């Protein structure tokens, strides 16, 4: 995404038609290479590629010089592809993978070495996911911090568009590699994704076994480009024309990035996905994002589950970053709406429409002085740390606090002019900066008014709503493009320093003195 005062380098995207593999020789799929990480137990990793129709392919896994597993299959006539599913493997390595094609007494052998088994995570989205380690705070220190993380392997997909779903990647920017200062900070908005790398590094610190990270992102792109036609039809998107938006500077044609940068990975066995996108939908089908985002998650899950022969979990963990802040010339509520729609209008995840998901709140990680524009904050360390907490809870079942305090109950004390809120966790008031507002209605007109903090206790607070001379209709928190300064929003959880997320709740059915449960 382009911001005032910052110019991106010229990108000449490759646009591909639907391809055929009829004339390919014997080879592995594009992302099966030296230094790769394959998904560990309880799933089985998928090894696949292309060959001569009718040929026999034998895949052997070696530990040192010993063959410890062998799988045999044949090349399909129509697709010219072959595939095997390895038995589940414990984390570790290194291993070697050998594939041998036999056809009419002729043998061809392929080998890859230094293969590890661990957890494989796919990282996707737009520019805030594409930002490299060289663009974050303390970049020099972060780029030098690779020696202890040689079992965290990285891979980056090229910027490619396609009109129809491709079965394999047409091009790769960074083939599987051990991390170095050069490939982590290759350039501006190129590779390697800082959020992806830092997330994997935090996971490795906890898990202490190999992590594979695949970055597939493109700046300035709306969710529609990353969605299949199936999921777009489910949300009624295809009945709309393409909308012009200042926030859309990358490909916006429906499904072109899904076709070329995500679908080619669908045979891979994954542990999960992390996602950082939404800015380009602020003025592009914003009202549908509460459908298109859950639909994308569901469709990716179905596709990867089927493509991996059921090895990728049907409801694999899916984490995302709720949008950060942006210095806007206008004071509309488009950013808050996207933040809300990112949760399918629940305000929190996981929820009924978004199971097995986790979210990193980032509205308090603003960056007024970012050389890449305020829409690209440089503190990707905190973003990744908050994401990894969600992964530890949702993906790995660890009992820990991974999200900030959520409002659970609301009580209107009209005679006292107070509105009481009870939270799910202990709360800490960081500063008395008021970002609660109440919608006050009279004569069929409603207006948002400040609702300052009155009193605060360990897990609840009271808001002063005496300024409302009419009927209180709704309450909202942090409903602004730039709700607070860096790590200075009013409410956090004291132990984890995780911020309370933004929310809006309607009070129209709430009688004075009655309670209402907000979070289920």
């Amino acid at each position: 995404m382009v911001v005032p005062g910052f110019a991106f380098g010229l990108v000449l995207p490759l646009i591909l038609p639907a391809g055929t593999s009829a004339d390919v020789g014997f080879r592995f799929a594009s992302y099966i290479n030296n230094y790769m990480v394959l998904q560990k137990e309880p799933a089985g990793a998928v090894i696949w590629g292309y060959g001569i129709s009718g040929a026999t392919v034998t895949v052997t896994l070696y530990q040192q010089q010993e063959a410890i597993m062998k799988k045999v299959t044949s090349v399909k006539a129509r697709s010219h592809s072959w595939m095997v599913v390895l038995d589940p493997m414990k984390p570790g390595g290194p291993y070697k993978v050998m594939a041998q094609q036999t056809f009419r007494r002729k043998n061809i052998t392929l080998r890859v070495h230094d293969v590890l088994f661990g957890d494989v995570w796919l990282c996707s989205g737009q520019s805030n996911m594409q930002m490299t380690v060289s663009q974050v705070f303390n970049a020099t220190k972060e780029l030098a911090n690779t020696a202890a993380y040689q079992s965290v392997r990285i891979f980056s997909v090229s910027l490619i568009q396609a009109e129809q779903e491709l079965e394999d990647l047409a091009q790769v920017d960074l083939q599987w590699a051990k991390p170095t200062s050069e490939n982590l900070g290759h350039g501006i908005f190129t590779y390697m994704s800082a959020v992806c790398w830092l997330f994997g590094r935090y996971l490795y610190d906890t898990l202490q076994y190999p992590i594979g990270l695949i970055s597939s992102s493109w700046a300035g792109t709306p969710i529609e480009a990353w969605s299949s036609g199936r999921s777009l039809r489910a949300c009624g998107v295809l009945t709309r024309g393409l909308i012009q938006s200042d926030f859309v500077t990358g490909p916006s044609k429906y499904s072109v990035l899904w076709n070329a940068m995500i679908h080619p990975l669908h045979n891979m066995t994954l542990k999960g996905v992390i996602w950082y996108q939404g800015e380009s939908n602020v003025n592009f089908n914003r009202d549908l994002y509460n459908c298109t985002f859950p639909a994308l998650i569901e469709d990716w899950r179905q596709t990867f589950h089927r493509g991996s022969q059921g090895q990728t979990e049907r409801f694999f963990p899916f984490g995302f970053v709720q949008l950060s802040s942006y210095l806007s010339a206008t004071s509309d509520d488009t950013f808050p709406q996207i933040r809300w729609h990112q949760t399918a209008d629940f305000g929190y995840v996981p929820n009924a429409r978004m199971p097995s998901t986790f979210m990193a709140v980032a509205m308090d990680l603003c960056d007024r002085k970012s050389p890449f524009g305020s829409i690209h904050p440089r503190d990707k360390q905190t973003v990744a740390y908050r994401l990894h907490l969600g992964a530890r809870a949702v993906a790995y079942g660890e009992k820990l606090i991974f999200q900030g305090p959520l409002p659970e109950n609301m009580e209107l004390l009209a005679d006292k002019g107070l509105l009481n809120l009870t939270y799910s966790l202990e709360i800490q008031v960081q500063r008395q900066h008021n970002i609660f507002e109440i919608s006050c209605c009279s004569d069929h007109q409603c207006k948002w008014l400040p609702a300052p903090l009155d009193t605060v206790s360990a897990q609840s607070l009271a808001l002063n709503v005496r300024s409302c001379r009419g009927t209180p209709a709704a309450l909202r928190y942090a409903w602004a493009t730039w709700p607070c300064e860096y790590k200075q929003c009013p409410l956090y959880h004291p132990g984890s320093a995780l911020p309370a997320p933004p929310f809006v709740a309607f009070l129209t059915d709430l009688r004075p003195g009655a309670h209402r449960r907000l979070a289920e």
Side-chain angles (χ1 to χ4, degrees):
M1 136 185 338
V2 175
V3 296
F6 182 76
F8 286 86
L10 180 64
V11 175
L12 299 177
L14 179 61
I15 303 177
L16 297 173
T20 176
S21 55
D23 298 323
V24 301
F26 181 52
R27 67 174 177 88
F28 285 120
S30 59
Y31 52 81
I32 295 177
N33 216 310
N34 303 329
Y35 307 110
M36 68 180 173
V37 176
L38 295 173
Q39 182 57 43
K40 72 169 187 66
E41 63 180 5
V46 173
I47 302 292
W48 73 282
Y50 294 99
I52 299 173
S53 176
T56 298
V57 176
T58 303
V59 176
T60 308
L61 183 68
Y62 289 89
Q63 187 170 32
Q64 295 179 343
Q65 302 303 316
E66 180 185 359
I68 62 173
M69 189 188 307
K70 184 175 291 187
K71 300 289 180 179
V72 181
T73 188
S74 58
V75 180
K76 297 177 183 177
R78 191 164 186 174
S79 65
H80 296 265
S81 66
W82 54 268
M83 178 184 292
V84 299
V85 178
L86 301 182
D87 299 334
M89 293 288 295
K90 294 184 181 299
Y95 297 89
K96 294 179 182 178
V97 177
M98 184 180 79
Q100 184 176 73
Q101 176 182 266
T102 302
F103 185 73
R104 296 177 180 172
R105 298 183 181 180
K106 182 180 180 181
N107 294 333
I108 302 176
T109 302
L110 305 173
R111 295 179 179 86
V112 294
H113 62 80
D114 202 350
V115 175
L116 304 179
F117 285 86
D119 283 337
V120 181
W121 286 84
L122 171 62
C123 312
S124 188
Q126 56 180 111
S127 54
N128 273 302
M129 182 63 83
Q130 198 177 8
M131 282 180 72
T132 67
V133 182
S134 62
Q135 296 176 261
V136 304
F137 283 137
N138 302 316
T140 302
K141 177 182 177 182
E142 299 292 3
L143 290 170
N145 187 16
T146 61
Y149 299 101
Q150 294 300 292
S151 292
V152 181
R153 306 291 173 81
I154 57 177
F155 179 98
S156 190
V157 176
S158 294
L159 306 185
I160 306 289
Q161 303 177 61
E163 295 298 324
Q164 297 184 38
E165 292 177 346
L166 304 183
E167 292 303 312
D168 195 13
L169 294 171
Q171 192 172 317
V172 171
D173 272 353
L174 176 66
Q175 192 51 261
W176 282 109
K178 297 179 180 181
T180 66
S181 59
E182 289 76 21
N183 59 29
L184 288 176
H186 178 73
I188 304 300
F189 294 102
T190 54
Y191 59 84
M192 174 65 178
S193 162
V195 170
C196 191
W197 162 249
L198 294 166
F199 170 79
R201 203 179 70 184
Y202 285 128
L203 279 185
Y204 181 82
D205 287 340
T206 298
L207 301 172
Q208 291 294 301
Y209 60 69
I211 301 292
L213 301 171
I214 299 165
S215 176
S216 183
S217 53
W218 195 327
T221 52
I223 195 171
E224 290 80 1
W226 298 100
S227 303
S228 73
R230 297 177 297 277
S231 60
L232 295 178
R233 279 191 294 273
C235 296
V237 174
L238 298 183
T239 62
R240 298 185 175 189
L242 287 175
I243 303 165
Q244 297 300 313
S245 169
D246 292 342
F247 287 98
V248 178
T249 60
S252 60
K253 193 172 182 180
Y254 299 155
S255 305
V256 291
L257 303 185
W258 158 260
N259 291 340
M261 296 178 66
I262 300 298
H263 187 268
L265 303 170
H266 77 289
N267 291 340
M268 180 184 293
T269 309
L270 293 179
K271 176 64 177 181
V273 169
I274 58 171
W275 171 261
Y276 196 158
Q277 189 277 337
E279 298 93 340
S280 287
N281 284 96
V282 166
N283 296 314
F284 189 102
N285 292 331
R286 180 180 64 253
D287 59 319
L288 296 180
Y289 203 89
N290 58 359
C291 180
T292 51
F293 186 36
L296 175 144
I297 295 172
E298 169 62 15
D299 187 65
W300 285 27
R301 284 171 167 169
Q302 283 191 20
T303 304
F304 276 86
H305 180 69
R306 291 171 181 166
S308 65
Q309 310 300 304
Q311 298 305 306
T312 297
E313 289 183 15
R314 173 63 180 82
F315 294 97
F316 62 73
F318 196 109
F320 64 95
V321 183
Q322 194 177 47
L323 293 192
S324 187
S325 299
Y326 170 57
L327 285 174
S328 174
T330 59
S331 58
D332 57 33
D333 70 343
T334 53
F335 257 65
Q337 286 183 42
I338 286 287
R339 292 189 191 115
W340 186 246
H341 291 337
Q342 285 180 293
T343 67
D345 298 351
F346 279 76
Y348 59 90
V349 297
N351 59 51
R353 290 187 59 201
M354 300 174 67
S356 299
T357 58
F358 54 95
M359 174 177 75
V361 175
M363 65 179 180
D364 65 330
L365 302 180
C366 50
D367 188 353
R368 290 180 179 271
K369 298 180 180 180
S370 172
F372 315 107
S374 64
I375 205 165
H376 298 123
R378 289 166 289 173
D379 183 0
K380 295 299 191 274
Q381 292 89 337
T382 303
V383 169
Y385 181 79
R386 291 174 181 176
L387 270 177
H388 111 283
L389 290 178
R392 285 167 62 182
V394 173
Y396 297 98
E398 191 173 341
K399 301 298 182 184
L400 81 169
I401 292 171
F402 67 98
Q403 54 190 347
L406 302 172
E408 284 192 326
N409 286 287
M410 186 164 51
E411 180 185 12
L412 179 62
L413 304 176
D415 57 331
K416 298 181 180 179
L418 296 175
L419 183 65
N420 286 343
L421 279 178
T422 303
Y423 279 83
S424 59
L425 299 171
E426 186 179 356
I427 58 175
Q428 175 181 323
V429 177
Q430 183 84 359
R431 56 182 299 180
Q432 290 287 344
H433 168 57
N434 181 62
I435 51 176
F436 282 100
E437 296 173 292
I438 192 163
S439 177
C440 189
C441 301
S442 61
D443 297 328
H444 304 291
Q445 292 186 337
C446 298
K447 183 179 181 180
W448 287 103
L449 301 173
L453 283 169
D454 188 86
T455 58
V456 179
S457 61
Q459 210 165 320
S460 64
L461 56 83
L463 300 173
N464 184 332
V465 295
R466 297 184 188 96
S467 61
C468 180
R469 302 299 182 184
T471 303
L475 177 72
R476 67 189 188 185
Y477 171 74
W479 204 264
T481 303
W482 190 284
C484 60
E485 293 304 316
Y486 181 74
K487 294 188 177 181
Q488 291 294 315
C489 277
L491 297 181
Y492 289 81
H493 175 254
S496 64
L498 293 172
F503 75 87
V504 61
F506 294 98
L507 315 177
T508 50
D509 298 327
L510 188 64
R511 302 184 308 277
H515 294 263
R516 180 177 180 183
R517 185 167 180 82
L518 298 178
E520 298 297 336

